[in-house]
């Protein structure tokens, strides 16, 4: 697991339940323990983006595609949105498939 400034790491089960979460996103306080056991999509993905992100999620779990091994999408952080470049990997843990997503935030300088 790699955590650096402006990054987020999440592990999800096949239902999208958050099993592990670490965040160092700047100006985006996330008390990670408050989110363990909650649904990632309900908590961090905007309703208008949810179906598109779920297609990627299902494709990874069904091992039908490598197309989205890396994927960019917004996440909700309080009243803001953050564009994150995720690198995704499916691992087996105790006989269960787990999605490990390591994300780096896009930082725009004006």
């Amino acid at each position: 697991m790699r955590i650096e400034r402006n990054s987020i790491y999440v592990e999800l089960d096949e239902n999208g339940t958050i099993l592990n979460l670490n965040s160092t996103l700047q100006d985006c306080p996330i008390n990670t323990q408050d989110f363990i056991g909650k649904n990632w999509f309900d908590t961090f993905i905007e309703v208008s983006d949810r179906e598109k992100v779920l297609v990627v999620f299902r494709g990874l779990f069904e091992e039908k595609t490598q197309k989205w091994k890396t994927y960019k999408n917004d996440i909700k952080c309080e009243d803001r949105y953050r564009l994150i470049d995720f690198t995704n990997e499916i691992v087996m843990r105790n006989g269960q498939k787990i999605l490990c997503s390591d994300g780096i935030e896009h930082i725009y300088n004006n």
Side-chain angles (χ1 to χ4, degrees):
M1 171 176 44
R2 169 179 43 92
I3 294 291
E4 56 189 57
R5 188 168 172 86
N6 302 320
S7 67
I8 188 166
Y9 175 82
V10 63
E11 294 178 357
L12 306 174
D13 70 8
E14 291 185 80
N15 298 312
T17 302
I18 300 168
L19 304 173
N20 187 16
L21 177 65
N22 291 297
S23 173
T24 58
L25 296 175
Q26 186 175 352
D27 302 323
C28 183
I30 295 176
N31 184 351
T32 57
Q33 291 304 309
D34 290 345
F35 295 99
I36 303 300
K38 294 189 177 179
N39 185 278
W40 171 259
F41 302 99
D42 294 341
T43 306
F44 288 100
I45 305 299
E46 180 63 39
V47 172
S48 61
D49 293 336
R50 199 166 293 158
E51 191 54 40
K52 177 178 64 172
V53 176
L54 279 168
V55 166
V56 174
F57 177 77
R58 288 184 201 116
L60 288 164
F61 267 98
E62 294 169 4
E63 299 177 22
K64 292 184 176 178
T65 185
Q66 288 294 314
K67 180 177 178 182
W68 296 299
K69 186 171 167 101
T70 60
Y71 189 73
K72 294 177 194 167
N73 64 275
D74 286 325
I75 65 166
K76 294 186 294 188
C77 184
E78 294 183 337
D79 60 347
R80 302 179 191 162
Y81 294 90
R82 304 297 177 107
L83 182 59
I84 308 291
D85 278 326
F86 283 102
T87 301
N88 302 298
E89 178 182 16
I90 298 289
V91 299
M92 291 298 290
R93 191 175 298 146
N94 299 322
Q96 180 181 9
K97 287 183 181 180
I98 304 295
L99 174 64
C100 301
S101 293
D102 195 8
I104 303 295
E105 181 181 11
H106 280 252
I107 303 294
Y108 299 100
N109 295 319
N110 295 332

